[in-house]
């Protein structure tokens, strides 16, 4: 199925190996038999969580993002720390570290391929409820403010551009659909 679209890797070269990202340059055979090069970023993957309170609020984190030179509003998230790490365990860890909260219940929402044209990064997204506040314990190089926003306001913030992070947009719209659409196949 779809054999007419598949590219086959012929060679692979490491261009850069960093702490988080690894840049590759692969020579591929195209479906028509020609050859081409693909430059792409290898990423360990990540998990994210949208915490939902009993009052209809979501818990977001505000932080500076160097690559886009902006302070953003996002759902808590982080990279998978070791190969084979369970994404749900990563989501639980990031929720606790970045916000101080823990949850009694988690629901898998989706797997998001963030930039399919140049990266293999995948983020596993969960919803969390039954929240219990605790103490935030971020990494040494993380500076994060915790922000509560009504879900309905968060949807407006996405629509007017105040929230522009892809994983957060996906999670906010999915949670809104689950909460406000009784025909949803998910149970949050």
């Amino acid at each position: 199925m779809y054999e007419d679209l598949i590219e086959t890797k012929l060679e692979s070269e490491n261009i850069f190996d960093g702490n988080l990202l690894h840049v590759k340059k692969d020579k591929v055979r195209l479906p028509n038999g020609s050859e081409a090069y693909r430059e792409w970023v290898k990423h360990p993957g990540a998990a994210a969580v949208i915490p939902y309170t009993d009052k209809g609020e979501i818990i977001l984190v505000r932080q500076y993002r160097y690559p886009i030179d902006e302070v953003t509003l996002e759902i808590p998230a982080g990279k998978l720390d070791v190969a084979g790490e369970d994404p749900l365990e990563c989501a639980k860890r990031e929720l606790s570290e970045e916000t101080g909260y823990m949850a009694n219940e988690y629901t898998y929402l989706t797997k998001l391929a963030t930039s399919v044209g140049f990266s293999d990064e995948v983020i596993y997204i969960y919803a969390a409820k039954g929240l219990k506040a605790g103490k935030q314990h971020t990494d040494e190089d993380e500076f994060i403010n915790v922000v509560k926003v009504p879900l309905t306001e968060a949807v407006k913030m996405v629509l007017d551009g105040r929230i522009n992070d892809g994983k957060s947009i996906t999670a906010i719209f999915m949670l809104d659909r689950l909460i406000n659409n009784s025909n949803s196949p998910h149970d949050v």
Side-chain angles (χ1 to χ4, degrees), residues 42-102:
K42 184 166 184 55
H43 187 282
V49 59
I50 182 164
Y52 184 68
T53 72
D54 294 337
K55 295 179 180 177
E57 300 168 313
I58 61 171
I59 298 171
L60 300 171
V61 293
R62 181 175 285 127
Q63 61 187 324
Y64 175 73
R65 291 299 197 172
Y66 183 84
I68 62 171
D69 191 27
E70 283 184 25
V71 174
T72 62
L73 204 51
E74 305 174 34
I75 62 174
K79 71 176 179 66
L80 301 175
D81 280 344
V82 294
E85 180 179 14
D86 179 4
L88 177 56
E89 292 307 311
C90 178
K92 290 177 181 180
R93 179 185 69 241
E94 293 299 326
L95 176 62
S96 174
E97 286 179 6
E98 293 187 2
T99 70
Y101 282 86
M102 296 181 73

Side-chain angles (χ1 to χ4, degrees), residues 54-166:
D54 294 337
K55 295 179 180 177
E57 300 168 313
I58 61 171
I59 298 171
L60 300 171
V61 293
R62 181 175 285 127
Q63 61 187 324
Y64 175 73
R65 291 299 197 172
Y66 183 84
I68 62 171
D69 191 27
E70 283 184 25
V71 174
T72 62
L73 204 51
E74 305 174 34
I75 62 174
K79 71 176 179 66
L80 301 175
D81 280 344
V82 294
E85 180 179 14
D86 179 4
L88 177 56
E89 292 307 311
C90 178
K92 290 177 181 180
R93 179 185 69 241
E94 293 299 326
L95 176 62
S96 174
E97 286 179 6
E98 293 187 2
T99 70
Y101 282 86
M102 296 181 73
N104 289 331
E105 200 174 318
Y106 291 84
T107 302
Y108 174 78
L109 295 179
T110 194
K111 179 175 85 170
L112 177 68
T114 61
S115 301
V116 297
F118 68 88
S119 177
D120 69 347
E121 180 186 24
V122 171
I123 301 177
Y124 299 87
I125 302 175
Y126 299 86
K129 69 178 188 176
L131 302 175
K132 180 180 175 194
K135 186 169 173 21
Q136 182 185 41
H137 51 104
T138 58
D139 294 335
E140 281 183 11
D141 63 347
E142 285 184 308
F143 302 91
I144 295 173
N145 299 139
V146 177
V147 179
K148 288 183 182 177
V149 176
L151 179 59
T152 54
E153 179 64 19
V155 169
K156 292 175 188 171
M157 294 171 81
V158 167
L159 294 173
D160 70 18
R162 288 179 284 163
I163 295 176
N164 62 2
D165 169 64

